Amino acid sequence: MSDSFDGVDDPTEPEDFDAPTVTCTRCDCEWDLSKEFEELGVGNHAVEQFALDHNRHTGHFPDDITTWRAACRHCPEEVERLAQDAVTRWAETHARHTRHSIEIRHARSDEVTVVDSSSSN
């Protein structure tokens, strides 16, 4: 018997969840992530991990995956991450160690946040 809340089935039950499909027009491919969700469990970061693996192997992210980017204003260092907190953590660390200023922006936005050594202490 599965646990339920207010008469609603537990959303973590595998039969209640449709795994997402990821597409990449550059590769002309589509992937059903059912296996990833079954093996790793619902609530994991299967889509994020798949996107990172895809980028590692192909040099680009799948369709509809947008990233946060941090670029140093003083040296060629830059990173691209899927989560804002991950790119912010990198920017703060780089600023703290180098005393450089770093620009953070989302791939779909013109808004820029600047992290410098005074804001990363």
XYZ file of all heavy atoms in Angstrom, residues 21-93:
591
model
N 11.204 13.809 -22.205
C 11.936 13.508 -23.426
C 12.821 14.709 -23.718
O 12.380 15.848 -23.617
C 10.964 13.273 -24.601
O 10.140 12.158 -24.269
C 11.702 12.998 -25.886
N 14.053 14.447 -24.051
C 15.008 15.505 -24.375
C 15.323 15.400 -25.863
O 15.549 14.310 -26.378
C 16.299 15.351 -23.538
C 17.329 16.378 -23.940
C 15.981 15.461 -22.057
N 15.337 16.541 -26.538
C 15.650 16.551 -27.962
C 16.860 17.429 -28.236
O 17.188 18.333 -27.464
C 14.474 17.096 -28.798
O 14.195 18.436 -28.376
C 13.236 16.239 -28.654
N 17.509 17.141 -29.352
C 18.620 17.960 -29.821
C 18.523 18.032 -31.337
O 18.746 17.021 -32.020
C 19.962 17.372 -29.399
S 21.364 18.385 -29.956
N 18.163 19.203 -31.839
C 18.037 19.355 -33.291
C 19.396 19.317 -33.972
O 19.493 18.874 -35.115
C 17.305 20.663 -33.649
O 17.928 21.753 -32.982
C 15.847 20.594 -33.236
N 20.435 19.745 -33.278
C 21.779 19.686 -33.883
C 22.211 18.252 -34.139
O 22.877 17.952 -35.121
C 22.800 20.398 -33.004
C 22.611 21.904 -33.013
C 23.554 22.589 -32.081
N 24.932 22.533 -32.549
C 25.944 23.134 -31.934
N 25.711 23.839 -30.840
N 27.159 23.038 -32.399
N 21.838 17.344 -33.226
C 22.182 15.922 -33.370
C 21.087 15.150 -34.093
O 21.270 13.983 -34.427
C 22.400 15.287 -32.003
S 23.817 15.933 -31.111
N 19.939 15.791 -34.297
C 18.773 15.164 -34.894
C 18.392 13.902 -34.119
O 18.190 12.835 -34.695
C 19.010 14.854 -36.369
C 17.718 14.496 -37.096
O 16.647 14.964 -36.659
O 17.787 13.731 -38.079
N 18.321 14.037 -32.778
C 18.007 12.895 -31.912
C 17.008 13.301 -30.836
O 16.842 14.480 -30.521
C 19.267 12.375 -31.230
S 20.414 11.562 -32.330
N 16.388 12.282 -30.258
C 15.450 12.454 -29.160
C 15.680 11.315 -28.177
O 15.903 10.174 -28.593
C 14.032 12.396 -29.722
C 12.951 12.581 -28.709
C 11.587 12.590 -29.357
O 11.201 13.643 -29.906
O 10.925 11.530 -29.323
N 15.660 11.629 -26.884
C 15.908 10.618 -25.855
C 14.786 10.639 -24.834
O 14.433 11.687 -24.308
C 17.228 10.884 -25.133
C 18.408 10.850 -26.025
C 19.166 9.761 -26.341
C 18.986 11.956 -26.718
N 20.184 10.120 -27.189
C 20.095 11.465 -27.447
C 18.680 13.309 -26.818
C 20.887 12.275 -28.244
C 19.460 14.117 -27.614
C 20.554 13.596 -28.314
N 14.250 9.486 -24.519
C 13.283 9.307 -23.447
C 14.103 8.973 -22.198
O 14.891 8.032 -22.211
C 12.343 8.160 -23.807
C 11.339 7.860 -22.716
O 11.602 8.173 -21.531
O 10.295 7.295 -23.036
N 13.936 9.737 -21.148
C 14.750 9.551 -19.949
C 14.129 8.591 -18.936
O 14.487 8.611 -17.763
C 15.049 10.902 -19.298
C 15.830 11.895 -20.159
C 16.192 13.126 -19.344
C 17.060 11.264 -20.768
N 13.238 7.716 -19.383
C 12.604 6.745 -18.475
C 13.640 5.917 -17.731
O 13.531 5.703 -16.524
C 11.680 5.807 -19.245
O 10.617 6.532 -19.798
N 14.635 5.430 -18.447
C 15.658 4.589 -17.817
C 16.397 5.355 -16.718
O 16.647 4.822 -15.636
C 16.639 4.086 -18.865
C 17.704 3.180 -18.301
C 18.623 2.665 -19.377
C 19.683 1.759 -18.784
N 20.612 1.277 -19.794
N 16.732 6.605 -17.006
C 17.432 7.411 -16.011
C 16.590 7.598 -14.753
O 17.080 7.529 -13.641
C 17.820 8.777 -16.598
C 18.971 8.736 -17.556
C 18.599 8.307 -18.968
O 17.441 7.898 -19.204
O 19.476 8.371 -19.837
N 15.287 7.825 -14.932
C 14.422 8.016 -13.777
C 14.196 6.711 -13.024
O 14.116 6.699 -11.810
C 13.093 8.642 -14.198
C 13.159 10.138 -14.276
C 13.601 10.766 -15.425
C 12.815 10.914 -13.188
C 13.693 12.142 -15.498
C 12.897 12.298 -13.255
C 13.337 12.905 -14.410
N 14.091 5.607 -13.743
C 13.897 4.320 -13.078
C 15.131 3.918 -12.291
O 15.035 3.434 -11.177
C 13.558 3.244 -14.112
C 12.167 3.390 -14.683
C 11.901 2.453 -15.844
O 12.707 1.530 -16.084
O 10.880 2.646 -16.518
N 16.312 4.110 -12.873
C 17.552 3.713 -12.212
C 17.949 4.664 -11.092
O 18.459 4.246 -10.064
C 18.691 3.620 -13.221
C 18.557 2.458 -14.172
C 19.678 2.399 -15.193
O 20.599 3.234 -15.122
O 19.621 1.523 -16.059
N 17.728 5.963 -11.303
C 18.194 6.955 -10.344
C 17.112 7.435 -9.390
O 17.422 8.038 -8.382
C 18.793 8.153 -11.092
C 19.958 7.817 -12.021
C 20.376 9.056 -12.804
C 21.128 7.268 -11.236
N 15.864 7.197 -9.723
C 14.759 7.578 -8.855
C 14.195 8.946 -9.179
O 14.915 9.858 -9.578
N 12.903 9.080 -9.040
C 12.240 10.358 -9.281
C 12.772 11.383 -8.289
O 13.045 11.089 -7.152
C 10.717 10.197 -9.138
C 10.011 11.536 -9.211
C 10.187 9.250 -10.200
N 12.883 12.602 -8.728
C 13.390 13.651 -7.859
C 14.872 13.881 -8.028
O 15.430 14.806 -7.490
N 15.530 13.039 -8.806
C 16.953 13.251 -9.037
C 17.143 14.339 -10.090
O 16.181 14.963 -10.530
C 17.628 11.946 -9.470
C 17.130 11.478 -10.822
O 17.190 12.209 -11.797
N 16.610 10.271 -10.888
N 18.316 14.530 -10.508
C 18.633 15.553 -11.497
C 18.960 14.901 -12.839
O 19.946 15.246 -13.474
C 19.793 16.407 -11.007
C 19.477 17.134 -9.752
N 18.795 18.319 -9.734
C 19.708 16.826 -8.455
C 18.632 18.723 -8.493
N 19.180 17.825 -7.689
N 18.111 13.970 -13.265
C 18.382 13.206 -14.481
C 18.473 14.098 -15.710
O 19.357 13.914 -16.545
C 17.323 12.126 -14.694
N 17.582 15.062 -15.855
C 17.616 15.935 -17.028
C 18.883 16.783 -17.008
O 19.573 16.919 -18.020
C 16.362 16.821 -17.103
C 16.467 17.829 -18.243
C 15.115 15.965 -17.264
N 19.196 17.337 -15.842
C 20.407 18.146 -15.717
C 21.646 17.310 -16.021
O 22.528 17.737 -16.767
C 20.504 18.734 -14.313
C 21.730 19.585 -14.101
C 21.783 20.210 -12.716
O 20.877 19.976 -11.900
O 22.759 20.935 -12.464
N 21.713 16.111 -15.453
C 22.875 15.253 -15.691
C 22.969 14.854 -17.155
O 24.048 14.835 -17.742
C 22.826 14.008 -14.804
C 24.109 13.207 -14.861
C 25.321 14.028 -14.445
O 25.335 14.607 -13.363
N 26.340 14.103 -15.281
N 21.828 14.548 -17.765
C 21.823 14.193 -19.176
C 22.336 15.374 -20.004
O 23.155 15.200 -20.918
C 20.423 13.791 -19.644
C 20.398 13.354 -21.075
C 20.645 12.035 -21.405
C 20.151 14.264 -22.093
C 20.652 11.625 -22.728
C 20.158 13.872 -23.421
C 20.403 12.550 -23.733
N 21.870 16.570 -19.698
C 22.301 17.761 -20.446
C 23.802 18.001 -20.283
O 24.493 18.327 -21.256
C 21.515 18.985 -19.977
N 24.308 17.837 -19.071
C 25.744 18.006 -18.840
C 26.553 16.953 -19.597
O 27.580 17.263 -20.213
C 26.066 17.949 -17.348
C 25.556 19.122 -16.518
C 25.676 18.813 -15.036
C 26.279 20.399 -16.888
N 26.084 15.701 -19.546
C 26.773 14.631 -20.284
C 26.734 14.894 -21.787
O 27.727 14.698 -22.487
C 26.136 13.268 -19.988
C 26.406 12.792 -18.575
O 27.314 13.340 -17.924
O 25.685 11.883 -18.127
N 25.591 15.340 -22.280
C 25.460 15.635 -23.710
C 26.447 16.735 -24.109
O 27.144 16.616 -25.122
C 24.023 16.066 -24.030
C 23.753 16.242 -25.484
N 23.578 15.175 -26.331
C 23.631 17.350 -26.246
C 23.355 15.626 -27.565
N 23.390 16.952 -27.533
N 26.526 17.783 -23.308
C 27.463 18.867 -23.590
C 28.910 18.380 -23.539
O 29.728 18.752 -24.375
C 27.256 20.012 -22.599
C 28.166 21.180 -22.889
O 28.235 21.676 -23.996
N 28.889 21.620 -21.876
N 29.219 17.545 -22.578
C 30.575 17.017 -22.448
C 30.974 16.199 -23.687
O 32.105 16.258 -24.138
C 30.663 16.164 -21.175
C 32.051 15.782 -20.773
C 32.169 15.111 -19.400
N 30.963 14.577 -18.798
C 30.244 15.185 -17.849
N 30.592 16.360 -17.403
N 29.175 14.614 -17.336
N 30.021 15.467 -24.231
C 30.319 14.605 -25.386
C 30.205 15.310 -26.733
O 30.869 14.911 -27.690
C 29.396 13.379 -25.383
C 29.666 12.460 -24.247
N 30.792 11.663 -24.178
C 28.969 12.212 -23.116
C 30.759 10.970 -23.054
N 29.676 11.288 -22.385
N 29.362 16.343 -26.811
C 29.110 16.976 -28.111
C 29.583 18.421 -28.199
O 29.696 18.955 -29.293
C 27.604 16.960 -28.433
O 26.925 17.785 -27.476
C 27.048 15.553 -28.435
N 29.784 19.066 -27.056
C 30.179 20.467 -27.056
C 29.002 21.428 -27.082
O 29.180 22.638 -27.178
N 27.781 20.903 -26.996
C 26.594 21.761 -26.949
C 25.518 21.101 -26.082
O 25.574 19.905 -25.834
C 26.045 22.050 -28.351
C 25.585 20.823 -29.073
N 26.417 20.081 -29.893
C 24.388 20.175 -29.084
C 25.749 19.052 -30.385
N 24.514 19.078 -29.906
N 24.579 21.930 -25.635
C 23.485 21.424 -24.814
C 22.303 21.038 -25.696
O 22.135 21.575 -26.793
C 23.033 22.486 -23.802
C 23.995 22.668 -22.662
C 24.904 23.707 -22.655
C 23.987 21.782 -21.593
C 25.784 23.875 -21.605
C 24.875 21.935 -20.538
C 25.773 22.975 -20.541
N 21.446 20.129 -25.207
C 20.231 19.787 -25.949
C 19.300 20.995 -26.067
O 19.487 22.008 -25.390
C 19.574 18.696 -25.089
C 20.631 18.205 -24.175
C 21.580 19.342 -23.983
N 18.281 20.857 -26.904
C 17.285 21.918 -27.089
C 16.642 22.291 -25.754
O 16.470 21.441 -24.875
C 16.178 21.449 -28.035
C 16.699 21.096 -29.420
O 17.829 21.489 -29.756
O 15.958 20.416 -30.151
N 16.269 23.545 -25.633
C 15.535 24.066 -24.479
C 16.297 24.010 -23.164
O 15.719 24.209 -22.103
C 14.181 23.358 -24.317
C 13.294 23.537 -25.529
O 13.329 24.630 -26.124
O 12.595 22.574 -25.888
N 17.574 23.713 -23.193
C 18.394 23.753 -21.986
C 19.140 25.077 -22.020
O 19.885 25.359 -22.950
C 19.412 22.587 -21.933
C 18.711 21.236 -21.995
C 20.300 22.706 -20.704
C 17.847 20.909 -20.802
N 18.891 25.895 -21.024
C 19.565 27.186 -20.957
C 20.503 27.200 -19.758
O 20.275 26.509 -18.774
C 18.556 28.345 -20.849
O 17.736 28.137 -19.718
C 17.706 28.435 -22.110
N 21.528 27.980 -19.867
C 22.565 27.970 -18.842
C 22.777 29.349 -18.240
O 22.355 30.364 -18.788
C 23.900 27.509 -19.454
O 24.257 28.410 -20.508
C 23.802 26.096 -19.978
N 23.449 29.333 -17.119
C 23.964 30.541 -16.489
C 25.438 30.623 -16.854
O 26.119 29.603 -16.854
C 23.811 30.472 -14.971
C 22.394 30.616 -14.543
C 21.470 29.624 -14.393
C 21.732 31.835 -14.239
N 20.278 30.155 -14.008
C 20.407 31.514 -13.904
C 22.127 33.170 -14.217
C 19.479 32.481 -13.546
C 21.207 34.126 -13.853
C 19.897 33.790 -13.527
N 25.897 31.826 -17.160
C 27.284 31.995 -17.580
C 27.973 33.042 -16.718
O 27.400 34.066 -16.386
C 27.329 32.430 -19.042
C 26.736 31.381 -19.941
C 26.611 31.850 -21.353
N 25.985 30.782 -22.133
C 25.351 30.979 -23.259
N 25.245 32.181 -23.754
N 24.824 29.965 -23.903
N 29.212 32.742 -16.377
C 30.039 33.691 -15.625
C 31.306 33.920 -16.432
O 31.945 32.966 -16.870
C 30.378 33.138 -14.250
N 31.634 35.187 -16.641
C 32.834 35.533 -17.398
C 33.625 36.584 -16.626
O 33.077 37.601 -16.201
C 32.463 36.071 -18.772
N 34.889 36.301 -16.436
C 35.758 37.237 -15.746
C 36.008 38.446 -16.635
O 36.217 38.317 -17.839
C 37.078 36.552 -15.392
S 38.177 37.638 -14.436
N 35.984 39.638 -16.035
C 36.242 40.878 -16.768
C 37.739 41.141 -16.951
O 38.119 42.060 -17.672
C 35.623 42.061 -16.023
C 34.119 42.092 -16.047
C 33.613 43.281 -15.265
N 32.226 43.571 -15.595
C 31.550 44.563 -15.047
N 32.117 45.352 -14.139
N 30.293 44.769 -15.384
N 38.599 40.343 -16.291
C 40.026 40.626 -16.301
C 40.883 39.538 -16.931
O 42.023 39.789 -17.303
C 40.522 40.878 -14.864
C 39.800 42.000 -14.198
N 40.102 43.318 -14.418
C 38.756 41.994 -13.336
C 39.284 44.079 -13.713
N 38.459 43.296 -13.047
N 40.375 38.329 -17.004
C 41.144 37.235 -17.575
C 40.200 36.356 -18.412
O 38.987 36.561 -18.368
C 41.855 36.428 -16.481
S 40.777 35.450 -15.419
N 40.707 35.398 -19.140
C 39.849 34.601 -20.024
C 39.002 33.530 -19.325
O 38.280 32.792 -20.003
C 40.844 33.962 -20.994
C 42.141 33.940 -20.283
C 42.126 35.121 -19.354
N 39.027 33.459 -18.013
C 38.264 32.437 -17.300
C 36.761 32.676 -17.434
O 36.285 33.805 -17.290
C 38.635 32.421 -15.816
C 40.027 31.944 -15.539
C 40.217 30.464 -15.867
O 39.301 29.664 -15.640
O 41.305 30.131 -16.343
N 36.041 31.600 -17.697
C 34.589 31.655 -17.724
C 34.035 30.249 -17.530
O 34.731 29.266 -17.762
C 34.068 32.257 -19.029
C 34.459 31.498 -20.267
C 33.977 32.184 -21.537
O 33.715 33.405 -21.518
O 33.849 31.490 -22.539
N 32.792 30.179 -17.053
C 32.132 28.889 -16.860
C 30.686 29.005 -17.310
O 30.122 30.103 -17.393
C 32.170 28.384 -15.400
C 33.580 28.132 -14.928
C 31.436 29.314 -14.482
N 30.111 27.851 -17.565
C 28.708 27.750 -17.932
C 28.116 26.641 -17.071
O 28.638 25.530 -17.027
C 28.616 27.405 -19.413
C 27.257 27.433 -19.999
C 27.302 27.241 -21.507
O 28.197 26.541 -22.015
O 26.418 27.792 -22.162
N 27.046 26.956 -16.350
C 26.413 25.993 -15.459
C 24.903 26.031 -15.674
O 24.351 27.031 -16.102
C 26.707 26.307 -13.990
C 28.174 26.337 -13.617
C 28.749 24.935 -13.509
N 30.069 24.938 -12.932
C 31.189 24.887 -13.643
N 31.147 24.854 -14.945
N 32.363 24.863 -13.042
N 24.251 24.946 -15.304
C 22.801 24.883 -15.428
C 22.091 25.573 -14.274
O 20.982 26.067 -14.424
C 22.337 23.428 -15.527
C 22.786 22.711 -16.795
C 22.388 21.253 -16.744
C 22.213 23.378 -18.031
N 22.720 25.632 -13.124
C 22.095 26.226 -11.941
C 22.755 27.566 -11.599
O 23.974 27.696 -11.651
C 22.219 25.281 -10.755
N 21.928 28.528 -11.244
C 22.437 29.844 -10.885
C 23.357 29.775 -9.670
O 24.393 30.436 -9.646
C 21.289 30.808 -10.604
C 21.754 32.205 -10.267
C 20.611 33.154 -9.978
O 19.479 32.738 -9.782
N 20.911 34.432 -9.966
N 23.005 28.978 -8.674
C 23.854 28.918 -7.484
C 25.231 28.345 -7.799
O 26.231 28.757 -7.217
C 23.184 28.167 -6.337
C 22.845 26.721 -6.657
O 22.714 26.361 -7.832
O 22.685 25.941 -5.698
N 25.312 27.436 -8.766
C 26.614 26.865 -9.133
C 27.504 27.900 -9.818
O 28.699 27.990 -9.543
C 26.421 25.658 -10.037
N 26.935 28.693 -10.705
C 27.741 29.705 -11.392
C 28.103 30.839 -10.430
O 29.208 31.381 -10.488
C 27.043 30.216 -12.680
C 25.977 31.239 -12.392
C 28.042 30.757 -13.667
N 27.217 31.158 -9.514
C 27.513 32.189 -8.515
C 28.630 31.730 -7.581
O 29.535 32.509 -7.259
C 26.245 32.542 -7.709
O 25.250 33.026 -8.612
C 26.534 33.592 -6.650
N 28.582 30.470 -7.169
C 29.640 29.919 -6.304
C 30.997 30.006 -7.005
O 31.995 30.418 -6.420
C 29.299 28.473 -5.935
C 30.169 27.864 -4.897
C 29.650 26.515 -4.386
N 29.059 25.650 -5.386
C 27.738 25.424 -5.526
N 26.872 26.014 -4.727
N 27.288 24.614 -6.462
N 31.042 29.658 -8.315
C 32.293 29.743 -9.058
C 32.767 31.197 -9.121
O 33.951 31.487 -8.905
C 32.132 29.188 -10.479
C 33.401 29.288 -11.246
C 34.394 28.358 -11.306
C 33.847 30.402 -12.037
N 35.429 28.823 -12.073
C 35.124 30.078 -12.545
C 33.298 31.636 -12.355
C 35.851 30.938 -13.363
C 34.019 32.507 -13.167
C 35.281 32.154 -13.660
N 31.854 32.119 -9.423
C 32.214 33.536 -9.546
C 32.754 34.086 -8.229
O 33.759 34.807 -8.214
C 31.000 34.339 -10.008
N 32.109 33.747 -7.134
C 32.565 34.228 -5.824
C 33.939 33.672 -5.476
O 34.794 34.397 -4.948
C 31.546 33.856 -4.746
C 30.259 34.655 -4.859
C 29.158 34.165 -3.939
O 29.292 33.065 -3.359
O 28.151 34.891 -3.818
N 34.164 32.425 -5.785
C 35.471 31.813 -5.516
C 36.547 32.456 -6.376
O 37.629 32.802 -5.887
C 35.417 30.290 -5.777
O 34.438 29.727 -4.914
C 36.769 29.640 -5.524
